[in-house]
Amino acid sequence: RAGTHNDSNSPPYAYPWRSVVQMFALGREEGHTGSALLTFALGGESLHADTTRDGRSLYEMHFRVVAWERESGRTITLDTTRRVSRAQPVPVKEGLVSWLEIPLPGGVWQIAVRVTQGDDSSGAYALRRDVIVEAGSTLAVSDIVTGLTGAATWRGPDGIEFPVNAMASWPAGAAVELYYEVFGLPARQSYRTTVDVRPVNPKVKQSVRIATTDRATGPVTPVRRSLGLGQLPPGQYRLEVTVEAGGHRATRAQTVTVTSPQ
């Protein structure tokens, strides 16, 4: 426990990278489908690239992930090196997008991740303390993976590609793509879904609410939706998905940022 806790403290990088790191809990313990999806957008000005013989830019990055489940004391670690080859270097004001997945049993996990390029004085770091992989068989919903049309695609657990928005921001007027999973319902059982997008700033009055009646496809129901943000001004919003069936209710939330049009 002490070793994991110390490893999870924010390292004192002298030169922290400009980065956006997101973590999403998917699947559940039953069926051994639980996992965490980690997405990265790493600032182009921070990264070093080697030049290959054919003139391409090669980025080599080391990822260290430590997941700790407080109740049981379980610790799961992942050390991996990723190499990304590009025809041109990443522009200074853009980010290099990457992601990885780590299998997890059911529970409430604290996940810390470091990304470096062989230099302990610089890198990216992120910590999330509430990565919840569902352990029961009752009605539940996974984290909400958010996307943007045209973004790099990740192959979801259902085998279909999804455009993950690693930058975690959407230009005003865009649509946010959603991927999440509903658990604990037999095939063909109906359930009610409510999607709410509410401003974090109480002075902003615009919001979005959509309610639908849906039907489960089995114990794990993958769901994909597209939600227009056209009426929302720039700012931060809480996106909440609530599912209800048979007197039970489950909710997950995610933060989305709407930016001014370029």
Side-chain angles (χ1 to χ4, degrees):
R1 174 175 176 178
T4 305
H5 180 75
N6 288 341
D7 189 71
S8 299
N9 287 336
S10 180
Y13 287 133
Y15 307 101
W17 296 352
R18 179 177 57 84
S19 61
V20 179
V21 181
Q22 301 178 90
M23 305 182 194
F24 307 96
L26 297 170
R28 62 176 181 171
E29 185 166 65
E30 185 176 340
H32 305 288
T33 61
S35 67
L37 169 67
L38 284 66
T39 69
F40 305 87
L42 306 173
E45 77 280 5
S46 305
L47 302 175
H48 165 75
D50 293 320
T51 303
T52 62
R53 291 183 178 180
D54 59 358
R56 297 179 65 86
S57 295
L58 180 65
Y59 295 87
E60 184 172 299
M61 298 162 293
H62 180 72
F63 295 81
R64 176 169 176 79
V65 182
V66 178
W68 175 53
E69 210 276 316
R70 180 186 298 273
E71 184 173 339
S72 65
R74 291 175 293 188
T75 300
I76 296 174
T77 61
L78 172 66
D79 285 280
T80 182
T81 298
R82 298 291 175 89
R83 296 173 179 85
V84 179
S85 178
R86 292 173 50 96
Q88 301 292 333
V90 179
V92 170
K93 293 185 179 181
E94 296 183 14
L96 183 67
V97 172
S98 182
W99 53 77
L100 57 85
E101 297 176 76
I102 179 171
L104 293 176
V108 181
W109 294 86
Q110 173 177 291
I111 298 181
V113 57
R114 303 183 187 190
V115 190
T116 61
Q117 285 193 304
D119 177 5
D120 289 340
S121 66
S122 66
Y125 173 84
L127 171 69
R128 180 179 166 187
R129 301 181 185 277
D130 59 346
V131 181
I132 303 173
V133 175
E134 295 296 336
S137 58
T138 58
L139 179 68
V141 62
S142 73
D143 275 343
I144 309 158
V145 184
T146 48
L148 178 66
T149 298
T153 55
W154 155 75
R155 188 173 295 278
D158 58 357
I160 302 174
E161 292 186 340
F162 180 82
V164 173
N165 185 0
M167 298 298 294
S169 63
W170 287 258
V176 56
E177 305 298 323
L178 308 178
Y179 174 85
Y180 58 90
E181 298 161 342
V182 177
F183 310 117
L185 298 176
R188 301 193 60 78
Q189 180 172 337
S190 65
Y191 63 94
R192 181 176 175 82
T193 303
T194 305
V195 181
D196 274 312
V197 184
R198 297 189 296 271
V200 173
N201 184 351
K203 295 182 180 180
V204 177
K205 303 304 179 184
Q206 293 94 325
S207 62
V208 174
R209 165 172 278 202
I210 296 176
T212 61
T213 299
D214 304 299
R215 198 169 295 275
T217 59
V220 179
T221 300
V223 181
R224 294 165 183 264
R225 294 183 182 275
S226 183
L227 184 65
L229 304 177
Q231 70 186 61
L232 301 179
Q236 271 201 327
Y237 294 83
R238 177 182 170 87
L239 187 155
E240 188 173 273
V241 172
T242 301
V243 296
E244 299 172 274
H248 297 280
R249 174 188 178 102
T251 299
R252 287 286 180 107
Q254 184 63 262
T255 299
V256 297
T257 301
V258 178
T259 61
S260 301
Q262 299 298 320

